[in-house]
Amino acid sequence: MLGSPALDRASATGTTPSRLVRAEFMKLRTTSAWWLFLGGFLLFTALALLNNWFSNHYLLYPQQDPADRAQALAQAAQAHTPAGVAAIAASMMTSGQFLSVLIVMLLGVHVATNEFAQQTAVTTFLTVPRRERVVAAKLAAAACSAALLWLIATAIDAVVTPVFLHTQHVSTSLTGWVVVRPVLASLLAFVIWAVFGIGLGALLRDQVVSIVVAIGVYGGGFAVVELVFHAIYDLSHQGWILGLPVIAPAVASQVMVTAERAFPHAPPQWVGAVILTGYALALAAAGTAVTRRRDVT
Amino acid sequence: MIILLAVIVLGGLIWLMRRGRGTAGRVEVPPPPPRPPGPPAVVRPIPRERLADGRIVITGLTKEYPAGRVVDSLSFVVEPGRVTGFLGPNGAGKTTTLRMLLGLVEATAGTATIGGFAYADLDQPIRRVGAVLEAGAAHKGRTGRDHLRIICQAAGLPLARADEVLELAGIAQAASRDFGGYSLGMRQRLGVATALLGDPQVLLFDEPANGLDPEGIRWMRELLRGLAASGRTVLVSSHLLGEMEQLADDLIIIAAGRLIAQGTVASVTGAMPHASRTLVRTPDVAGLAAALGGDAAITQASDGDVYITGADAAAIGDAALRAGVAIHQLVTQSPDLEAAFLEVTAGKAAIR
């Protein structure tokens, strides 16, 4: 209006999926959120690498402790076998898995809830009244960000792991399936947790409540489910009960990513993948449905 | 271990959010004064055959919350090429009505259309309708320019359009500053800039004068008049009749979610109970009443003051002179529209 060279020059394309996703990336990029999430992510990755470095080192070379020295030596011998070294390499290559996906989930929560916290939701939904398109763009943007974070973490791990193996005087191929499978499963976990976070945020809308619930589901859910099923096991002594904690999303994620069994009686990896994907898709669907219908005031 | 880390993460995230939100704690740089508005820009007129696309039709619109009805069977039409004032006391349902019109709030019953379409069914809605709903609807940690560019990106408009509307709204000099540091007046102007992005034919403003200084109010008034003169539809909500009297061509008055009056400013204000009255102080009320005859209505207040309607001061003075009645005071009390407006809407607006 009032004479617009910009509007006259370029014919407006209208809302397209790719422009919507780019708009979501702009929202992330134009505030300090992106750098804070990246910083937190790098910090957790570094801490996890440090932790894995030492725990794997002591697994290979146990300290002199007469009490359970025999058991430690047996474990060390097991760790020095080709399969043992491959498992150690896999754990190094997926360092930070446990806490990094928490950051990724919180990133999803942030992308979904920040527009309500900052009152930009009205403008967004006036621009794109078909709200499911906005949620879809947020899902895509969060999933892409998650994949990018995975790439960064994997790149760091891929530098540190060979150094670690060299200093421990063991060697294994990092391109073997035993190592590559958990690394790829980790990519899947990152993307699914981002979707999980968006779904949760869209459903709850309130930013602080969503963050508390997200952390509760992740950390608390882990502990509570383990406790409950161990208590049931103590009563019944049925081994399969110890595999049931996989119904908690965080446990399912661990089951999916771990190279071998995540814990005794753990179900196979694909069971974890199916359960985690199920949660994420159900939350995303519920979040989209609620966002479509709910009044924006 | 997990719990400890969770607490660390939670603390960090809450800090992050406070940072995003909180320019409250930041030292606020005094905003440079908005650029004085230049001569009214030439507004591209809307072709005659497209005028009907700007017509807003509200039919039987109702919004019911568990706590009660906020909007109750509301029907009215807003015509293009005019500034329409949407008036009502706070809590009358103005904002809810605008939000239903924009598809943000789902109506319990009734329809609200723009050029015959529900907002959500419009192709490229921000190229048809621009709305300023609340000042302060941008991320506090994002610059004004980025806020607008994101909307351009999502709507498929060229990103360069952001700078054009910043210029139009007179806040080009604040384009690269974080929204959190904007004054209320600058936030209103950014809201206007946002509404103008798509060069829309229909403009909706919810209480646009809030927070503006006299200069800003004059700028806003000229802008709205210019937009209406070009054939655009301009609907402006307000709770002040005086403000709308100077700006609007048409008025729609609601209270408690119901339509109270609709029409041109003259017809609506003319119909309000605000006939002038004359205050008289006299020791002989009965004598004056007899002198005035049956046309004048006389009411006596408890303090002895007499109010007369149906005869003006000159007629009362002449009649008193003829009858030999002493007059100690004779004052014409002119109509008070704002008071009349309050009277018309009084008791109908629940506090919400």
Side-chain angles (χ1 to χ4, degrees):
Chain A
M1 69 156 274
L2 314 166
S4 164
L7 286 182
D8 290 345
R9 259 198 319 273
S11 62
T13 60
T15 300
T16 62
S18 91
R19 291 198 71 143
L20 272 180
V21 175
R22 273 150 72 193
E24 289 302 324
F25 274 118
M26 279 176 81
K27 286 175 192 172
L28 266 177
R29 218 177 53 224
T30 51
T31 65
S32 48
W34 177 242
W35 296 106
L36 291 165
F37 274 108
L38 185 63
F41 180 81
L42 290 177
L43 180 72
F44 277 153
T45 304
L47 283 175
L49 264 174
L50 207 64
N51 177 63
N52 279 358
W53 183 295
F54 285 108
S55 65
N56 284 326
H57 169 74
Y58 289 124
L59 183 62
L60 287 165
Y61 305 102
Q63 293 296 88
Q64 303 297 319
D65 183 357
D68 48 6
R69 182 164 168 73
Q71 193 196 348
L73 283 178
Q75 279 179 353
Q78 162 66 24
H80 275 94
T81 62
V85 173
I88 285 172
S91 91
M92 290 297 289
M93 281 298 291
T94 54
S95 282
Q97 175 60 226
F98 184 77
L99 287 166
S100 302
V101 293
L102 178 60
I103 294 277
V104 168
M105 171 170 56
L106 293 178
L107 177 68
V109 168
H110 173 85
V111 168
T113 58
N114 202 43
E115 298 228 38
F116 294 101
Q118 296 284 343
Q119 297 177 315
T120 53
V122 165
T123 309
T124 298
F125 291 144
L126 285 182
T127 310
V128 187
R130 301 275 174 219
R131 299 183 200 164
E132 64 275 10
R133 301 182 69 182
V134 176
V135 180
K138 286 185 185 301
L139 284 169
C144 289
S145 305
L148 189 65
L149 289 175
W150 169 85
L151 198 64
I152 293 169
T154 303
I156 295 171
D157 293 341
V159 171
V160 175
T161 305
V163 176
F164 170 79
L165 293 176
H166 181 74
T167 58
Q168 305 301 307
H169 316 293
V170 289
S171 70
T172 186
S173 162
L174 291 183
T175 52
W177 187 236
V178 185
V179 177
V180 170
R181 197 206 61 80
V183 171
L184 289 180
S186 163
L187 169 62
L188 191 60
F190 272 56
V191 171
I192 296 175
W193 279 108
V195 171
F196 193 100
I198 294 274
L200 190 71
L203 198 59
L204 298 178
R205 186 153 79 173
D206 184 277
Q207 194 163 35
V208 176
V209 170
S210 302
I211 289 173
V212 170
V213 170
I215 292 176
V217 164
Y218 196 72
F222 225 110
V224 169
V225 169
E226 298 257 346
L227 269 174
V228 167
F229 285 109
H230 268 94
I232 296 174
Y233 171 78
D234 288 343
L235 292 175
S236 64
H237 293 283
Q238 302 280 322
W240 57 270
I241 289 173
L242 289 177
L244 288 184
V246 75
I247 61 162
V251 180
S253 182
Q254 282 295 95
V255 166
M256 177 177 88
V257 175
T258 310
E260 297 169 316
R261 291 285 156 107
F263 49 89
H265 299 285
Q269 285 86 350
W270 66 265
V271 175
V274 168
I275 290 175
L276 188 60
T277 310
Y279 276 119
L281 291 183
L283 269 178
T288 308
V290 165
T291 304
R292 274 178 55 135
R293 292 195 55 87
R294 191 160 39 193
D295 288 349
V296 182
T297 52
Chain B
M1 170 74 173
I2 294 166
I3 293 168
L4 181 72
L5 276 164
V7 168
I8 294 171
V9 172
L10 184 65
L13 257 292
I14 286 173
W15 174 75
L16 181 151
M17 287 182 326
R18 291 180 63 88
R19 236 184 90 103
R21 209 179 269 173
T23 34
R26 212 182 283 177
V27 179
E28 201 157 309
V29 185
R35 178 177 298 192
V42 183
V43 181
R44 191 180 301 172
I46 301 293
R48 182 173 289 274
E49 65 276 13
R50 274 192 51 208
L51 280 179
D53 293 346
R55 208 155 179 259
I56 299 172
V57 180
I58 308 274
T59 314
L61 201 62
T62 300
K63 180 65 185 181
E64 193 144 1
Y65 286 112
R69 279 194 178 191
V70 181
V71 177
D72 194 356
S73 312
L74 194 59
S75 300
F76 61 81
V77 175
V78 182
E79 297 291 348
R82 304 174 72 81
V83 176
T84 303
F86 189 31
L87 274 169
N90 289 332
K94 302 185 296 287
T95 300
T96 307
T97 302
L98 290 180
R99 282 175 187 266
M100 284 193 277
L101 176 59
L102 292 167
L104 294 169
V105 167
E106 200 178 350
T108 310
T111 57
T113 59
I114 298 163
F117 292 96
Y119 184 83
D121 294 332
L122 290 172
D123 182 36
Q124 299 195 38
I126 72 162
R127 302 222 58 187
R128 300 285 303 280
V129 182
V132 186
L133 285 189
E134 52 202 16
H139 193 293
K140 312 265 187 303
R142 191 178 280 143
T143 67
R145 182 189 282 118
D146 281 339
H147 172 74
L148 295 168
R149 288 166 67 102
I150 286 168
I151 300 166
C152 288
Q153 182 70 273
L157 303 176
L159 299 192
R161 177 66 179 154
D163 287 308
E164 286 182 359
V165 290
L166 282 165
E167 190 76 38
L168 264 175
I171 46 168
Q173 83 288 353
S176 314
R177 283 179 30 205
D178 281 357
F179 178 74
Y182 279 24
S183 68
L184 192 52
M186 292 164 85
R187 290 179 184 203
Q188 286 284 21
R189 284 169 184 262
L190 184 67
V192 170
T194 309
L196 296 178
L197 269 178
D199 186 14
Q201 189 180 348
V202 175
L203 287 131
L204 310 174
F205 296 85
D206 198 6
E207 307 270 357
N210 280 357
L212 288 181
D213 55 11
E215 175 73 47
I217 288 175
R218 209 190 65 186
W219 167 78
M220 182 75 77
R221 212 176 272 160
E222 280 178 14
L223 177 75
L224 299 190
R225 285 201 167 285
L227 290 167
S230 70
R232 286 173 173 76
T233 309
V234 180
L235 181 64
V236 190
S237 87
S238 174
H239 61 276
L240 297 172
L241 176 61
E243 187 180 292
M244 282 302 110
E245 237 195 316
Q246 297 180 48
L247 172 68
D249 303 303
D250 294 331
L251 287 182
I252 293 160
I253 300 182
I254 68 167
R258 293 216 176 112
L259 187 69
I260 300 286
Q262 179 182 14
T264 61
V265 172
S267 71
V268 169
T269 56
M272 285 185 172
H274 66 284
S276 67
R277 61 182 189 176
T278 310
L279 164 70
V280 182
R281 288 210 175 100
T282 172
D284 184 7
V285 177
L288 182 62
L292 282 168
D295 288 346
I298 299 182
T299 47
Q300 192 159 8
S302 57
D303 57 2
D305 289 353
V306 173
Y307 294 98
I308 298 173
T309 53
D312 61 11
I316 295 166
D318 289 350
L321 179 64
R322 281 196 301 273
V325 174
I327 297 285
H328 296 160
Q329 195 174 10
L330 194 62
V331 181
T332 302
Q333 294 188 334
S334 45
D336 182 350
L337 270 178
E338 207 65 54
F341 169 61
L342 285 176
E343 204 170 295
V344 162
T345 58
K348 288 169 182 155
I351 302 295
R352 295 199 181 91

